[in-house]
Amino acid sequence: MYFAEERIDRLLTELTGYIYPKSEPVKDYWMKRSFSHDLAEAGPDTGGWEKFSPDDRWGGRDMHFWFRTQVEIPAGFDGKTVVYMIRTGREGEWDALNPQFLAYVNNNLIQGLDVNHREIILAEKAAKGEMFDIVLHAYSGMKEGLVELHTDIRILDREVEKLYYDLKVPLEVIKLLD
């Protein structure tokens, strides 16, 4: 049985690379420090905002920020399920201390993001040239120090994702059983 578990673990490792077969980084952001939770504060006026690049860091203990960007669907993503993915460099650390976000797409609150929920679906069937305005209300968490903001858009292959979880869930159950 142990050999079968190892084989399935190896297969799952291989499959993870196929869940998102293509990605493009999202690099151009505007950032603004603020304690307001009002989306109107993140409007199109760039007064008080500063450019934010992937090499920049943000945060501090118990701080709030707004991030704003615009994403255009590239030709290679046409007709595909496209997700927006976020990473802060604190993945794998204790959840209560990690940064958290409220994600707005085209002025609609879509969902919260944190270390366990790092993606949002932009389109089930994206169209080349389609534009998405993405605004993040970011909370830095209770840990002192600066964090990263790395984001990208990715193609999500739903069939591979389904196969991955159809294998992973039973394997995790088997590992818990005598």
Side-chain angles (χ1 to χ4, degrees):
M1 184 66 173
Y2 184 72
F3 181 68
E5 287 178 28
E6 285 182 321
R7 286 186 58 202
I8 295 170
D9 268 330
R10 177 70 178 129
L11 179 61
L12 289 170
T13 300
E14 288 295 318
L15 281 175
T16 58
Y18 295 100
I19 294 173
Y20 305 103
K22 197 174 207 179
S23 69
E24 294 282 332
V26 178
K27 297 179 182 178
D28 298 320
Y29 279 90
W30 288 94
M31 180 188 77
K32 178 180 182 179
R33 182 176 170 201
S34 171
F35 285 99
S36 171
H37 296 281
D38 185 1
L39 180 60
E41 179 150 347
D45 177 22
T46 57
W49 292 75
E50 56 189 75
K51 287 274 196 181
F52 186 89
S53 74
D55 295 329
D56 293 333
R57 301 291 178 264
W58 66 281
R61 189 180 194 289
D62 197 27
M63 306 288 284
H64 294 259
F65 295 83
W66 287 101
F67 292 93
R68 188 175 71 211
T69 192
Q70 201 170 53
V71 172
E72 181 177 359
I73 300 299
F77 288 51
D78 189 49
K80 307 290 186 189
T81 299
V82 176
V83 298
Y84 170 84
M85 181 76 73
I86 189 167
R87 294 170 313 285
T88 65
R90 287 197 181 161
E91 291 76 22
E93 295 182 28
W94 188 42
D95 298 345
L97 300 176
N98 286 313
Q100 299 176 16
F101 304 86
L102 289 176
Y104 297 84
V105 177
N106 297 335
N107 291 319
N108 295 309
L109 177 60
I110 300 300
Q111 75 181 54
L113 297 167
D114 60 24
V115 71
N116 295 312
H117 308 92
R118 297 182 294 137
E119 76 177 29
I120 57 176
I121 297 171
L122 292 179
E124 284 293 342
K125 191 171 182 178
K128 174 188 165 213
E130 188 174 4
M131 299 295 290
F132 294 93
D133 292 313
I134 299 173
V135 174
L136 302 172
H137 182 258
Y139 174 66
S140 63
M142 296 303 291
K143 190 173 182 180
E144 192 60 55
L146 301 178
V147 294
E148 304 165 357
L149 181 68
H150 296 290
T151 60
D152 52 53
I153 57 171
R154 299 177 181 189
I155 293 173
L156 170 62
D157 188 320
R158 291 282 195 187
E159 290 182 15
V160 175
E161 179 188 47
K162 182 180 180 335
L163 175 60
Y164 176 84
Y165 286 108
D166 283 351
L167 294 172
K168 183 173 178 59
V169 171
L171 178 64
E172 293 300 318
V173 171
I174 288 170
K175 288 180 178 181
L176 295 172
L177 298 175
D178 289 337

